Each structure stands twice: as structure tokens, then as C-alpha cells.
Amino acid sequence: MKRLFTLCLVAFALSAQAQYQMANSDFEDWAASSGEPDRWHGFKSGTGTYVSMAPGKLEKSTDTRPGSTGSYSALITSGKAIGSIIGNGTMTTGQLKAGSMSAANAGNHAEMNGSSSATDKNGDRFYMALTGHPDAIHFWLKFTQATPQTTYKYASVSAVITDGTYYQDPEDKTYTNKVAQAKNTTITTCSWSEFTVPFEYLSNSVNPAAILCTFGTNATPGKGSDGDKVWVDDVELVYWHALTALSYNGESVPGFSETTTSYDLSSIEYNEANVSFTVKGRAATATKSFDAETGVLTIRVEGEDYGTNTAMFQNAESFTEYTIQFKHKVSEKFYTEDLYVTMGDETMDKQQADVLVETYSDGTINFVLKNFVLSGLSMPVGNIAVENITVASDNTFTFSGGIELTEGDDPTYDFWLGPDITEECGGSVPLDLNGKFIGDDHIVVYISIDIAEFVGYPVEVHLGYARATMAVNAVAQYGTFCAPYAVEVPDGVQAFTVPSVADNNVLDLTEVVGTIPANTPVVLFAEAGLETVESFGVAEAGTPVAGLLTGVYEATPAPVGSYVLQNQGGKVGFYHVEGTQPEVGANRCYLTTSSGIKAFFFDEDDATAIKAIDNAQQTAEGAIYNLSGQRMSKMQKGLNIINGKKVLK
């Protein structure tokens, strides 16, 4: 294969301290003075008593392997020696020696010696430096036999890595300077074919310094036939960079294979301690990096030759990256919501609470109610954190199980009881949770947490909900109500809207049956009264006005000119506000009309009718009223209205 960096590569091989490939292993460089491929040798540059008689040849060939962009390959040819003895064709990175008339004698071999200064006709030493730890030798080879053999039918390759001291192949003794060897002595006749022969490492105590690589026309010395040919092209030392095993939490990653580089574990949160793998490559290195924003774990395996630009024919980059997609946080959002804590039958005053919701790539969420405090008991509990909650298509989510209560981070408190409570509960505090996302900026959550053993009462939390109370005094029998969410009419109670006032100053009433709609103020009638009923609901947008009634959700002074439901002197009615502004309680209503009437009273004979009275009228014999139309139990100093007449006291 022709490469523009061939000369640079040769210079690198000779001068650089690290050497990972064999020089001119694509056989594109042939010096005229040698007739052999540069840095490779046949019998032309051999030594030994009988070298001149060796018939094997090493020549340039234009028959290149498929897909080659080069011009040449190396052609090795056998020949007939004396009698019927065949002289194998041989090519080596060292020097060939013909030292015996017997083909099988170890005096006939390829040798390499780092201390030898002998050079070929190009001035190159018979020595191929190598400091890497290759995993295999890869090459292209074509093999034909002039006369097909049935017994001696194999060509061969041998690559031996040593510490650079003297070594010969075939061996004449046991050598302890070997690092690794790769041999294939069963190459049969073939057209151009790829071969990969793994190295067997023999010693961990010997450092590599050189490689003796030898190709031959027959695996058995002196065998084969006259004119057997072996073409060799593109020889490469391979440095593996792969994984042979990849596990998470003790189990193999589904679908794992060396060549599959992308995996999906998006339902699992990443924990570095749970990742394990086995690297393929004698001296390969692997590094892990996790991107928390994307949830991608990258395992990069680099061959020993990575960064040297010496891998020529397979993978010049010499690295492989495996990626695993884990569950990861895609967003987080903070909410500030109203919070009510109910312990037993008592609901504490409204608090403001901060909530963190982390959304993950698989659609699950982590919910954290931060710095939870039982305000009525001045008990700082800490964070209520629930992980891995599934959100349904209608934006609702539920959880039932045990959690750990963790410390909060509000500097107002010096201690948090949550960890102690968790420990007392055996490491898991029972909790039920039901929630829903409302639009983009609102969340409602109901939490029941079983810590009655520590606070004396069951604890319920309403987060993001509106709260309303409904009650009717048993004596007055009438009341008002309004909530920002729909509320069912309790048993024994009637609810009425007041759409208008008739010409005769009688208020029209329309009964609401079943459910009081959100933001709809009503008048309540309960003959036996109604004990306080507490409810929670999701507030709906809207103005709490319907007909003549206006509802309020916080205690509010009644506007001057409006009418407020009061019991004055035993007479229940809507009284005109002229001076002092009475307070309209939360979830209650006031009435607005321009009729000028001083008060509207309920018909004692018909609970669903309201009659009007002005400052010139009375509705009960001997009833006493002040100038504002308010009924009094006795005359007050100043003007009084008795039987429709002004009386001064």
C-alpha cells in the first residue's frame, strides 16, 4: 500500500523511542542496491556457509491484495537445492543464515541480534525495533504450490517479540528472552486472503524491544515443491481496543457484544460503583466519563499504539468508545405553594412551602418538600423527599411506601428531627402521596405521613390546595359561603344564589342543588345549623361574584354601602354598612344592591324568601331599630325607630 508518510514512518522507527509497527510493512519501498524490500530480507542479504546455494527468492511483485492503493507486494518463491531437497523461499525482518546442508538443521534459520552492527546493502541493520505489546499480527497473503502436496502443503508465518538480544527461529535452544510469539503453520493454498494471528504472551518480566517476523513457503524445512509462491502485503501489528465484557450492578448489559458500542439503560440511574468491564488488549487502557446533563456514560478504550499514527491498514485511530444512556435529570423546577398541616382534627395556620421537582429522562420525577416544619409544635422535620415517581398522562402522580426524612437547609433552624424520626422508624417512614401538576406553574399534593408516634396525632399535609370552611350557626340558621373550588352541599343544608332584587325590594333566591360551583358565593340555610366543615380543593381561576353576592377568600372589611349578614338583636338579615365596616370572614360573602334598603330580613314563614325593610318600616310589633336599620333589644340614647316612628331618648 502506498503511503505518503512512509519515509516519515521509517525515520520514526529508527529514531523514536517507541515503536509499534514494522517498517515498510506494505512493501512499497525497494532500494535498487538491495533488490529486497527495505528493512526486510531474503537470501540475497543472508549469511552462512551455504547461503550462495540457497535457491529461495524474494522479489518485488505488482500483484497486490484486493482494495490496495499501493503498487507492490513481496513475492517469496521456493527453489530446488541439491538433489530432491527443496529450498524454502523465506522473508524475515532479521537476517537469514544458511549454515547447514541439512534443511531441518537449526543452523538454517532467521536471526536477530540487537548488539550486532551488521547491515544490508542499504545500510539498514538486520533488526526490527518494537516496544509495543501487540495483540495480533494481521496480513494479506496469497499462496500457490507449483506441485500440490498432500502432506507438506502449508505455508507459514512466525513473529517473535524479544528483548532485543540474540534470538533465532527455528530455535537451537530454550530462549528466555522471548516476550510473545504468534505462529500459523497451517496456511493452505489460497487466493488473496486476510489473516489475523494472535500473540501468545510468554513472559511478564521481559520488556519488548524487537520483533523477528518470518514468512516461508513451507512450514517444514526442505519440503513443498520447486516454484511454490507466497505473496505478502500490508502486514500490521494489531493493538486491540475493545471490551469483552460489560456489566452494570452485577448483570451483563443487555445486548452486549464487542462490536456494539451503544447501549440503553435509560430506566436506571447511574452509579459509578456499579459499572464493571473487561478490556480486550494486552496494553489497552480504558477510561470512564459520565455526563450528568445528558446521562451518557462513555467508556473509551485506547490501544497501546493510540496517538502514534502507526496503525496503517485497519483502524488508524486505535480506540473504541462505548456509550451507555442512563436515566438522567432533564429539568428541575421550584414551586412556592401554600401549605396546610392538619394534626388530628386541627389544621394549622397556612404556611408558605418550597418544593423542588426534578424530572428525569424516563418521565419519572423526584419530589422534595423542603424544610417541612410542624409549626403548631415548632418541630422542624426536614425534607420530605420521594424518588422515582411515575407521572400519568393526566399529570397526576402517586406514591405509597417508606422514605427517609433528611435534614433541611433553612438556617433558621439549628437542628432537624427528620433523620432521628427515620432512624426510630427503622430507616423507613411510611408515607402516602397523591399529587397533580396544574398548568405550568402550580402543583398540588396531598401527603399522609405516619409519625403519630412522635407528634401524638396523624399528620396530613395539603400542599398547593386552597382551604375553605363552611358553617351555619344553629340559632341564626343562615350563613354565607364561597370557595375557589367546587364544594358539595352538605346534608341538611340548602344553598342559594341571589341573582337580583325585585321591584318590591324582595331578593330573588335560586337554589343550588348538589354542588356549589367554584367561585360562586351563596346563602346557606340549615334549620339545625351546621358544624364547621373543612374542605380542600384545587383553586380555579375566576372572580367570586354571582348576582348580588361577592365572596372573599381572606378576612375583608365589608365595603361601605354593601350588606352584611348579621344577627342584630336576635334578628338575622343582611344589614346595610354605613359607618363602621364589619369584617367579612374568609370564605364568606357580602351583598351589594342600590335599592337603598336599610336591611333585608328572612321570612320566618318561608326560609327561601328574603323581605326588605327600610328605615320607615318595622317587621315586628314593638321592634326597635336605629337609624341604620339595625334592630336593638332596647332604646338607645338618641333617635330610635319604633313602629315606624322616630323616637328620641
Side-chain angles (χ1 to χ4, degrees), residues 571 599-602 604 611-614 617-623 625 631 643-644:
K571 189 69 173 178
F600 293 94
F601 300 115
F602 295 97
E604 296 177 356
K611 294 182 178 180
I613 184 171
D614 61 20
Q617 295 176 317
Q618 69 174 27
T619 59
E621 185 69 25
Y625 296 89
R631 186 170 180 172
N643 295 327

Side-chain angles (χ1 to χ4, degrees), residues 135-456:
D135 296 289
I137 181 170
H138 173 271
F139 54 89
W140 284 81
L141 185 143
K142 177 180 176 181
F143 176 35
T144 64
Q145 284 193 310
T147 302
Q149 305 290 299
T150 57
T151 303
Y152 303 106
K153 57 183 179 180
Y154 302 115
S156 66
V157 61
S158 172
V160 181
I161 302 171
T162 74
D163 64 1
T165 58
Y166 180 84
Y167 177 76
Q168 71 172 56
D169 186 13
E171 297 177 358
D172 60 343
K173 64 177 184 178
T174 299
Y175 285 84
T176 60
N177 62 344
K178 294 192 298 181
V179 177
Q181 62 185 19
K183 295 180 182 290
N184 186 342
T185 58
T186 58
I187 301 173
T188 57
T189 56
C190 59
S191 57
W192 278 110
S193 302
E194 283 186 277
F195 293 85
T196 299
V197 184
F199 277 97
E200 175 191 4
Y201 275 79
L202 307 171
S203 174
N204 293 321
S205 61
V206 180
N207 294 320
I211 182 170
L212 181 65
C213 182
T214 306
F215 288 88
T217 57
N218 205 281
T220 305
K223 301 300 181 179
S225 61
D226 181 10
D228 293 347
K229 297 180 183 297
V230 171
W231 289 262
V232 182
D233 201 1
D234 290 349
V235 182
E236 179 182 13
L237 297 177
V238 180
Y239 296 82
W240 288 332
H241 42 84
L243 297 179
T244 57
L246 176 60
S247 298
Y248 189 80
N249 200 24
E251 297 184 1
S252 179
V253 172
F256 173 77
S257 72
E258 291 182 21
T259 56
T260 302
T261 58
S262 181
Y263 300 93
D264 184 5
L265 294 180
S266 56
S267 63
I268 302 173
E269 288 192 57
Y270 174 69
N271 184 334
E272 182 179 5
N274 291 340
V275 177
S276 60
F277 51 81
T278 303
V279 175
K280 179 182 180 180
R282 174 77 181 184
T285 57
T287 57
K288 293 183 299 184
S289 61
F290 181 69
D291 188 331
E293 291 187 3
T294 63
V296 174
L297 170 67
T298 300
I299 302 174
R300 181 185 175 95
V301 186
E302 296 179 355
E304 186 186 20
D305 61 337
Y306 174 74
T308 64
N309 293 321
T310 59
M312 298 174 287
F313 312 120
Q314 290 190 308
N315 181 6
E317 293 182 312
S318 192
F319 75 89
T320 303
E321 285 189 342
Y322 297 83
T323 59
I324 307 176
Q325 178 67 67
F326 283 92
K327 175 180 174 180
H328 64 287
K329 183 169 64 179
V330 296
S331 67
E332 64 178 25
K333 190 167 185 176
F334 287 90
Y335 299 83
T336 299
E337 302 286 1
D338 292 341
L339 180 144
Y340 293 95
V341 178
T342 301
M343 291 185 291
D345 296 329
E346 182 179 2
T347 298
M348 305 293 105
D349 292 339
K350 180 173 65 177
Q351 306 176 49
Q352 289 287 299
D354 293 325
V355 175
L356 169 63
V357 175
E358 299 173 322
T359 302
Y360 286 81
S361 54
D362 64 348
T364 61
I365 63 170
N366 288 352
F367 168 88
V368 184
L369 171 58
K370 298 176 67 65
N371 303 317
F372 176 58
V373 176
L374 294 174
S375 58
L377 302 178
S378 298
M379 179 183 288
V381 175
N383 296 331
I384 297 178
V386 185
E387 299 181 347
N388 200 32
I389 305 175
T390 299
V391 180
S393 58
D394 62 354
N395 292 323
T396 61
F397 53 93
T398 62
F399 174 84
S400 181
I403 68 164
E404 294 183 23
L405 300 174
T406 59
E407 290 191 353
D409 56 10
D410 186 340
T412 306
Y413 301 96
D414 296 328
F415 65 93
W416 298 92
L417 296 176
D420 293 334
I421 294 174
T422 301
E423 184 177 356
E424 289 294 326
C425 289
S428 182
V429 179
L431 177 141
D432 291 303
L433 177 150
N434 292 277
K436 184 174 184 178
F437 293 102
I438 309 295
D440 294 331
D441 301 307
H442 186 43
I443 186 174
V444 294
V445 182
Y446 166 78
I447 301 172
S448 173
I449 183 168
D450 187 1
I451 54 174
E453 181 179 348
F454 305 94
V455 300

